[in-house]
Amino acid sequence: MTDETGSAKRTEIFNSLCKLLMPFNYSGIELKPETDISADLSIDSVTVMDFVMEVEDHFDIEIPLNILSETRTMKDLVKVVEEAVERRELV
Amino acid sequence: MTDLFEKHKGIVERFQRMMAMGSNAVGVANDRVLSPTRAIINGRETILAGTNNYMGITFDKECIEAGQRALAEFGTGTTGSRIANGTYSLHVELEKNLAEFLNRRHCIVFTTGYQANLGMLAGLAGPKDTIFLDADSHSSIYDGCTLSGAKLVRFRHNDAGDLARRLARLEGDEGGRLVVLEGIYSMLGDRAPLNEFVDVKKQYGFQLLVDEAHSFGVLGPNGRGLADEMGLEEEVDFIVGTFSKSIGAIGGFGAGNHHMFDTLRYASRPYMFTASPSPSAVATANAALRRLKAEPERRVRITRNSQRLFDGFKALGLELGCDRVSPVIAVRCPDETSTVIMWNALLAAGVYVNFAVPPGTPGKACLLRCSVSAAHTEADIDRIIGLFGQVVAVQERQKAVAV
């Protein structure tokens, strides 16, 4: 994959994540790549897990909870989704 | 230097907001406990409707005598782990009796119910395995999963189709697969649709563990829990339970038929690296088990009481945790503030229920959670319904008028 298609793909994932996160963004803050999903949005651990379930369904991927514990920002999550989608497409 | 408590500032603020509206809903002190259903709280005799004391056995004469005898004969504590000096004839006897009660070949006793889940999950699954857990699982299941080091996959609550999708996505993964369900979920009182999960098990193949913490003693023709009620015990590989609810003591257990089950005693850290349950706790658990076996009418009484409370709440127009009657009956409230206010009003009127709010509850639910006991009288149940009618239904009506 070239850098360009890679970054286009990441932007697309980021935009999808923003849409999926809308129902959980109670404080309505602006979402940036460096936004900390739990701390900046003031949502608890269970809500983060519920949001991730929506992400899993949308992309038809699995994001094990173990990975989630190291995923803090939107940018981190984009990377996790990108890798999982790639793995699925390899199969 | 960062103060370690800095991260808890949010909790402190939330706690202060609650205290500004009344008393501490998450730190009630029972000054005296009079019976399984009565205590003195804030100087007032209070009906207990949030104790998980399902069989109402905590003041049973035989259980108390068994505990007293064990205290006198074996001392106050074991001062050691099961794999060192902490195994007494009492522990061995309880494991044998429980295995018999559960109709399982093997049973291991743990020091608390929390540790039973930690011990079973971390003993069964390792870093190469995958645990599939229901989204609404109790924290002890989440913590046990984390301790195991296994890959953790969370599926939608009570959704066997969602589990199947996830199993399919991960097909080809190496290692074992363990699916974890609960008989009765502690917050909303709903049961796992075990038959649907068993169908998925037949299709995909995995080992199945059911935590019967809230259903042991309560459900099934033999009081063994949900699998007993649904006639699916053979499909359940492992069950976990606790002594702190129907058994009225403290401790927990895991049981199964696997020929290597007892290996967990040498592989499960929460079993190995903690002191064994105290002689009196084990002796009262043993006596309580005998009582449950000898008195199936306790199950009849709790079923009747649960139905009565459920019907009474329905008649008041309250929104409940689920549509299936169980001893866990949760009343849904609009938000945290109204829940705190109503909880205080109920306590002041003489009934204790559990105050339950997110993230301890599923789906952001704010709950006044009741648990019914076989020891409640019909008059107790009617009094609880009456007080909810005064406190909760009135608030709901006011809200309806305001809208």
Side-chain angles (χ1 to χ4, degrees):
Chain A
M1 195 193 304
T2 64
D3 276 359
E4 222 166 281
T5 57
S7 94
K9 216 168 193 178
R10 279 192 287 277
T11 307
E12 200 187 312
I13 293 170
F14 179 80
N15 291 337
S16 301
L17 291 180
C18 289
K19 249 182 247 162
L20 292 167
L21 195 48
M22 250 154 58
F24 303 94
N25 186 2
Y26 308 105
S27 45
I29 66 159
E30 190 196 342
L31 300 171
K32 296 182 194 142
E34 56 277 10
T35 302
D36 185 307
I37 299 168
S38 175
D40 292 341
L41 272 72
S42 307
I43 54 178
D44 60 48
S45 53
V46 175
T47 310
V48 173
M49 290 193 290
D50 289 346
F51 158 59
V52 168
M53 271 189 163
E54 300 297 331
V55 175
E56 290 176 317
D57 280 358
H58 181 84
F59 292 98
D60 190 24
I61 52 170
E62 280 303 323
I63 304 177
L65 298 184
N66 328 54
I67 295 176
L68 205 56
S69 59
E70 290 158 23
T71 310
R72 302 227 60 87
T73 64
M74 290 292 281
K75 197 176 157 193
D76 294 341
L77 188 58
V78 168
K79 190 160 170 273
V80 167
V81 170
E82 188 187 11
E83 284 169 3
V85 170
E86 269 171 31
R87 261 200 311 278
R88 192 198 60 210
E89 283 167 356
L90 278 178
V91 175
Chain B
M1 189 187 81
T2 306
D3 181 1
L4 295 167
F5 279 96
E6 189 67 28
K7 58 182 167 290
H8 298 315
K9 272 197 168 157
I11 298 177
V12 173
E13 284 162 16
R14 194 174 173 193
F15 185 80
Q16 282 165 344
R17 277 199 300 278
M18 177 185 72
M19 290 304 283
M21 288 184 278
S23 53
N24 183 359
V26 290
V28 174
N30 296 276
D31 299 326
R32 279 174 57 209
V33 180
L34 309 175
S35 76
T37 59
R38 290 289 187 288
I40 305 289
I41 300 173
N42 299 332
R44 182 197 168 119
E45 186 172 325
T46 305
I47 299 179
L48 301 174
T51 58
N52 299 330
N53 193 347
Y54 297 124
M55 295 293 113
I57 210 161
T58 43
F59 281 76
D60 181 87
K61 192 165 167 279
E62 197 182 302
C63 292
I64 288 177
E65 282 170 4
Q68 286 169 334
R69 253 196 325 276
L71 258 176
E73 288 172 19
F74 290 89
T76 52
T78 68
T79 71
S81 151
R82 289 294 301 274
I83 57 167
N85 60 299
T87 295
Y88 292 7
S89 57
L90 295 168
H91 300 92
V92 178
E93 190 191 336
L94 178 57
E95 285 171 342
K96 187 175 151 280
N97 291 343
L98 260 170
E100 204 180 287
F101 183 90
L102 297 163
N103 196 26
R104 300 273 171 174
R105 278 200 281 282
H106 310 282
C107 177
I108 298 180
V109 162
F110 296 89
T111 306
T112 67
Y114 177 84
Q115 283 165 299
N117 266 331
L118 254 61
M120 287 296 291
L121 294 166
L124 287 168
K128 286 190 177 149
D129 304 315
T130 305
I131 303 180
F132 297 80
L133 72 159
D134 187 285
D136 285 6
S137 292
H138 187 262
S139 284
S140 57
I141 293 174
Y142 277 94
D143 292 354
C145 287
T146 304
L147 188 64
S148 76
K151 184 191 273 187
L152 307 181
V153 173
R154 180 179 184 253
F155 60 88
R156 288 183 190 277
H157 176 54
N158 275 354
D159 190 339
D162 191 52
L163 171 65
R165 262 192 307 282
R166 289 166 193 276
L167 283 159
R169 276 185 203 140
L170 294 175
E171 212 150 35
D173 268 21
E174 58 172 336
R177 300 194 287 193
L178 178 65
V179 171
V180 185
L181 308 173
E182 293 184 40
I184 292 177
Y185 285 86
S186 60
M187 285 294 123
L188 301 181
D190 49 340
R191 294 160 164 81
L194 195 53
N195 50 340
E196 295 170 21
F197 284 106
V198 164
D199 288 344
V200 176
K201 187 184 186 215
K202 284 176 180 156
Q203 192 184 345
Y204 287 91
F206 50 75
Q207 283 167 299
L208 175 61
L209 180 148
V210 178
D211 178 358
E212 302 270 19
H214 291 268
S215 38
F216 175 77
V218 174
L219 299 183
N222 306 291
R224 297 200 283 253
L226 180 70
D228 183 23
E229 181 181 69
M230 299 186 76
L232 291 167
E233 287 179 292
E234 277 180 31
E235 305 295 339
V236 176
D237 300 280
F238 310 105
I239 58 170
V240 170
T242 176
F243 302 145
S244 54
K245 298 178 171 64
S246 285
I247 293 289
I250 187 160
F253 65 84
N257 289 330
H258 196 286
H259 68 282
M260 288 172 70
F261 191 86
D262 276 321
T263 315
L264 294 175
R265 294 183 197 271
Y266 318 108
S268 169
R269 300 168 65 84
Y271 174 83
M272 297 158 73
F273 299 106
T274 191
S276 61
S278 72
S280 56
V282 172
T284 53
N286 227 334
L289 193 63
R290 273 198 303 276
R291 299 297 271 175
L292 294 198
K293 225 185 207 168
E295 300 169 352
E297 59 270 23
R298 284 179 194 267
R299 271 204 305 287
V300 177
R301 277 206 302 277
I302 194 168
T303 305
R304 210 169 47 211
N305 284 345
S306 304
Q307 185 74 50
R308 194 176 182 89
L309 188 65
F310 185 91
D311 292 343
F313 280 173
K314 278 278 176 197
L316 288 173
L318 302 177
E319 196 190 336
L320 303 184
C322 75
D323 285 329
R324 190 82 190 274
V325 181
S326 87
V328 176
I329 301 178
V331 174
R332 290 180 188 273
C333 305
D335 52 42
E336 188 162 328
T337 304
S338 63
T339 312
V340 173
I341 292 169
M342 292 188 280
W343 180 87
N344 275 286
L346 285 168
L347 188 66
V351 60
Y352 169 81
V353 301
N354 302 125
F355 167 80
V357 290
T361 55
K364 299 219 153 288
C366 290
L367 306 171
L368 294 168
R369 175 192 180 274
C370 303
S371 57
V372 176
S373 173
H376 282 127
T377 62
E378 282 190 1
D380 290 341
I381 300 290
D382 292 346
R383 175 102 183 112
I384 298 165
I385 297 166
L387 293 174
F388 266 79
Q390 283 170 29
V391 170
V392 182
V394 167
Q395 163 118 3
E396 298 277 298
R397 269 199 300 280
Q398 281 167 348
K399 198 182 67 192
V401 172
V403 173

